[in-house]
């Protein structure tokens, strides 16, 4: 019996080593354990919304002119065509106070169609721009301010001049008040505004 135990122990050990060696060979051959995670596919990138366009910068007034005239060149124009010197409107006064080719702009969106028209609402700004050869040298402004001057339509008047392109506009006391309304009184029946809204 002692001999059998002695012989069995080495035999069992040899068998265990042989089985262990077989397991090593299977792993070396590239067998993947059952517990290995499966390969995953990356999710496609989420599309991003395009950047909105940058807003347009606000218009700036011409040099020397007040802020409420900024961008007046793009406001509705009362006259369908530029007004030449010595026009029919100036004949009512007897002389052309604003020499040069003129355009009259108003900050009321529907003014060209006559809505609003005379009388203009409180807060209206009218700009008459005059010059020669496309160079503006005069800007006359009328502002409707309720209660400011009831005797003269509640309009405030001021005129700015410059000698040429690249210069700043400037005004003085002689280019405001009675200097302006003394002529515009002739047009009191059309809310002190000479230029009618032309159709078109």
């Amino acid at each position: 019996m002692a001999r059998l135990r002695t012989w069995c122990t080495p035999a069992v050990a040899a068998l265990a080593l042989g089985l262990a060696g077989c397991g090593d060979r299977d792993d070396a051959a590239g067998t993947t354990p059952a517990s290995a995670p499966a390969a995953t596919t990356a999710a496609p990138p989420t599309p991003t919304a395009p950047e909105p366009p940058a807003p347009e910068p606000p218009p700036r007034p011409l040099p020397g002119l007040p802020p409420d005239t900024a961008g007046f060149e793009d406001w509705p124009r009362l006259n369908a065509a530029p007004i030449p010197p010595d026009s029919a409107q100036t004949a009512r006064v007897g002389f052309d106070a604003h020499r040069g080719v003129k355009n009259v702009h108003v900050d009321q969106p529907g003014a060209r169609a006559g809505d609003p028209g005379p009388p203009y609402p409180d807060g209206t700004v009218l700009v008459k721009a005059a010059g020669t050869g496309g160079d503006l040298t005069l800007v006359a402004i009328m502002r409707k301010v309720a209660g400011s001057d009831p005797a003269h339509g509640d309009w405030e008047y001021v005129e700015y001049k410059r000698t040429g392109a690249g210069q700043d506009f400037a005004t003085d006391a002689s280019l405001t008040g009675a200097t302006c309304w003394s002529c515009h009184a002739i047009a009191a029946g059309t809310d002190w505004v000479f230029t009618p809204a032309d159709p078109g």
Side-chain angles (χ1 to χ4, degrees), residues 22-179:
C22 287
D24 287 345
R25 279 194 298 275
D26 287 345
D27 290 343
T31 303
T32 304
S35 62
T40 57
T41 304
T46 303
T48 56
E51 288 288 327
E56 290 288 326
R60 298 177 63 181
L62 295 176
L65 294 184
D68 62 356
T69 64
F72 76 82
E73 303 96 323
D74 296 324
W75 297 354
R77 198 174 71 186
L78 292 182
N79 50 297
I83 302 167
D86 302 312
S87 66
Q89 285 114 321
T90 64
R92 295 166 65 185
V93 181
F95 67 98
D96 192 342
H98 303 143
R99 296 294 301 171
V101 177
K102 295 168 280 295
N103 289 295
V104 182
H105 303 267
V106 60
D107 68 345
Q108 300 292 330
R112 182 65 178 276
D115 182 24
Y120 289 96
D122 180 48
T124 297
V125 178
L126 283 153
V127 173
K128 178 187 282 185
T132 56
D135 180 21
L136 294 182
T137 53
L138 179 143
V139 170
I141 303 167
M142 292 175 65
R143 293 184 185 88
K144 191 76 170 281
V145 181
S148 63
D149 188 0
H152 305 108
D154 278 337
W155 287 104
E156 293 179 347
Y157 301 84
V158 61
E159 187 177 302
Y160 294 80
K161 293 182 178 181
R162 67 179 180 181
T163 56
Q167 303 296 314
D168 286 3
F169 283 93
T171 189
D172 59 50
S174 70
L175 299 173
T176 187
T179 302

